[in-house]
């Protein structure tokens, strides 16, 4: 909805310049309920102007030139043929001006109330709303880039991902068996650093070499891979990163399309050191049943006594018939040598 009831949606093209030294760029201007949104033609937002703070620099002249109150260096130029948008903005500016409080005690009270409301919104509502908006608009290719950037930082500590030519196909087969054909390249084995498994924006799942080298069959590694995929599905990995990094990093990603290096460094360290949320037992059991995997090997790998994972052992959905084969014996032996061990 727009601020004018007769328009469900109102857009126009214009020329926007963020500061006097910048080159003007063609943008799409959208009239909202309380703001003007300036976006690229791809839909990525560039700026949001509160309607209450919009000023016209050349009243009565065309092309119409607007700027935020107090910042005449940032400008928006609407050509003469965008009459509908110009008239709508002018109507709103006149209405806003009529409602502005006049000097006096009431004005001070009202301004204080508005300031308190804005401050409360900035503290309590804005961070969450901005994070959610950013999470929704970041495309898959950018998530992949962020995941690769985090992996590059993690490997400074863990060492480079393990790979041999003989293990390349078995690793893909393991990922394909558990995650599905579309994600056969999403599994990365690390020689150190990660405790057991971790996940990154873009879909990458990291696995410690010990889960492959220290067990007789691939069911344990498959179980850990399945559990980590459930953990990644339960909360958006990019949303987790932004929640950890805060409002400034979220704003940087939204406005520039990139995260600060310090943000990526800090989050990479967090992934390697902080304990992760456990997956609910009933959720795990349903997933093991759907994947036709035994849950017992995974349960004993998590707790060698089985005391804390007894539900996964007693309710193993494939205890009788066993797992549908994960890898052939030759493939499993090749995969166990992926780190050259």
């Amino acid at each position: 909805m727009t601020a004018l009831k007769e328009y469900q949606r109102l857009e126009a093209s214009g020329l926007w310049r963020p500061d006097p030294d910048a080159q003007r760029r063609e943008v799409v201007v959208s009239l909202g309920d309380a703001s003007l949104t300036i976006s690229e033609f791809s839909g990525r937002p560039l700026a949001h102007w509160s309607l209450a703070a919009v000023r016209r620099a050349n009243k009565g002249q065309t092309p119409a030139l607007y700027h935020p109150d107090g910042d005449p260096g940032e400008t928006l130029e609407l050509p003469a043929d965008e009459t509908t948008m110009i008239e709508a903005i002018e109507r709103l500016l006149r209405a806003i001006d009529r409602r502005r409080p006049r000097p006096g005690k009431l004005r001070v009270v009202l301004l204080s109330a508005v300031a308190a409301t804005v401050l409360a919104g900035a503290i309590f509502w804005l961070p969450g709303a901005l994070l959610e908006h950013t999470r929704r608009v970041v495309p898959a290719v950018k998530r992949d880039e962020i995941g690769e950037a985090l992996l590059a930082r993690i490997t400074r500590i863990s060492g480079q991902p393990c790979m041999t030519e003989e293990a390349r196909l078995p690793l893909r087969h393991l990922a394909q068996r558990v995650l599905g054909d579309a994600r056969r390249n999403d599994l990365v084995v690390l020689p150190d650093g990660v405790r057991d498994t971790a996940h990154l924006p873009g879909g990458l799942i990291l696995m410690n070499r010990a889960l492959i080298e220290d067990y007789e069959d691939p069911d344990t590694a498959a179980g850990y891979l399945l559990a980590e995929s459930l953990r990644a599905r339960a909360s958006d990995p990019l949303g987790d990163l932004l929640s950890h990094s805060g409002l400034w990093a979220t704003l940087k990603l939204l406005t520039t399309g990139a995260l600060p290096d310090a943000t990526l460094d800090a989050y990479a360290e967090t992934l390697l050191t902080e304990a992760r949320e456990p997956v609910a037992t009933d959720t795990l059991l349903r997933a093991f049943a759907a994947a036709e995997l035994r849950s017992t090997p995974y349960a004993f790998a998590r707790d060698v006594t089985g005391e804390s994972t007894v539900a996964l052992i007693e309710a193993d959905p494939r205890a009788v018939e066993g797992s549908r084969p994960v890898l052939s014996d030759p493939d499993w032996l090749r995969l166990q040598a992926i780190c050259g061990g």
Side-chain angles (χ1 to χ4, degrees):
M1 290 292 292
T2 71
L4 298 175
K5 293 181 179 179
E6 60 263 40
Y7 300 112
Q8 287 290 325
R9 184 177 181 86
L10 185 57
E11 292 184 343
S13 61
L15 296 173
W16 173 70
R17 183 169 60 187
D19 57 71
D21 297 326
Q23 185 176 355
R24 294 187 303 172
R25 50 193 300 187
E26 192 170 1
V27 294
V28 174
V29 184
S30 303
L31 179 63
D33 185 50
S35 65
L36 284 178
T37 301
I38 300 170
S39 310
E40 294 180 343
F41 282 91
S42 64
R44 185 171 74 90
L46 298 170
H48 292 271
W49 291 5
S50 169
L51 286 171
V54 174
R55 297 291 180 269
R56 185 166 179 175
N58 61 343
K59 190 171 182 179
Q61 301 178 35
T62 54
L65 192 64
Y66 298 94
H67 65 83
D69 189 20
D71 186 11
E74 182 179 2
T75 60
L76 172 65
E77 182 179 308
L78 295 177
D81 59 352
E82 294 290 0
T83 54
T84 303
M85 177 65 81
I86 294 172
E87 290 174 359
I89 293 174
E90 293 302 313
R91 282 175 57 190
L92 291 169
L93 294 185
R94 288 194 296 270
I96 290 169
D97 188 64
R98 285 195 299 269
R99 296 173 184 173
R100 293 186 190 280
R102 303 307 173 190
K105 190 176 295 185
L106 179 60
R107 181 178 183 179
V108 173
V109 172
L110 291 177
L111 285 176
S112 299
V114 170
T117 301
V118 171
L119 181 60
I123 294 173
F124 299 108
W125 174 81
L126 180 61
L130 187 64
L131 187 152
E132 178 62 20
H133 174 70
T134 304
R135 185 189 65 78
R136 285 189 287 103
V137 301
V138 172
V141 64
K142 176 57 65 177
R143 291 169 180 262
D144 292 343
E145 290 178 12
I146 293 172
E148 292 292 346
L150 283 170
L151 178 60
R153 285 160 170 80
I154 289 171
T155 55
R156 295 173 189 170
I157 300 171
S158 68
Q160 290 301 307
C162 296
M163 183 55 68
T164 64
E165 194 58 39
E166 293 79 11
R168 192 178 303 277
L169 278 178
L171 182 67
R172 288 179 178 174
H173 290 160
L174 175 60
Q176 185 177 10
R177 167 69 173 83
V178 179
L179 304 177
D181 185 64
R183 299 187 60 191
R184 61 183 179 276
N185 294 315
D186 283 353
L187 178 58
V188 178
V189 178
L190 297 178
D192 199 1
V194 63
R195 292 183 178 184
D196 39 57
T197 55
H199 61 268
L200 304 178
L204 290 179
I205 292 182
L206 314 181
M207 177 177 286
N208 189 296
R209 65 188 292 181
L211 297 179
I212 294 174
E213 294 179 346
D214 295 354
Y215 298 94
E216 294 182 359
D217 62 55
D219 285 22
T220 300
Y224 271 94
L225 180 56
L226 180 62
E228 192 62 35
S229 71
L230 294 173
R231 193 175 288 113
R233 198 182 308 162
S235 63
D236 184 357
L238 179 61
D240 294 342
L241 187 161
L242 295 177
S243 295
H244 175 273
S245 304
L247 181 60
W248 175 244
T250 302
L251 281 170
K252 288 283 287 183
L253 178 59
L254 183 62
T255 56
T256 68
L259 285 167
D261 289 342
T263 295
L264 294 171
D265 291 338
Y267 192 65
E269 182 178 345
T270 297
L271 285 173
L272 297 180
T273 56
E274 286 192 358
R276 292 157 299 118
E277 289 292 325
V279 181
T281 298
D282 57 345
T283 301
L284 280 170
L285 287 171
R286 287 195 298 269
F288 274 99
E292 300 177 84
L293 281 173
R294 292 183 298 153
S295 57
T296 298
Y298 169 73
F300 278 119
R302 280 179 49 188
D303 181 354
V304 67
T305 68
E307 293 180 2
S308 65
T309 56
V310 63
L312 291 172
I313 299 169
E314 292 181 348
D316 188 338
R318 302 288 291 191
V320 176
E321 61 270 62
S323 299
R324 179 165 61 84
V326 175
L327 290 176
S328 66
D329 289 342
D331 271 357
W332 177 236
L333 292 174
R334 294 185 188 100
L335 187 57
Q336 287 188 298
I338 190 171
C339 292

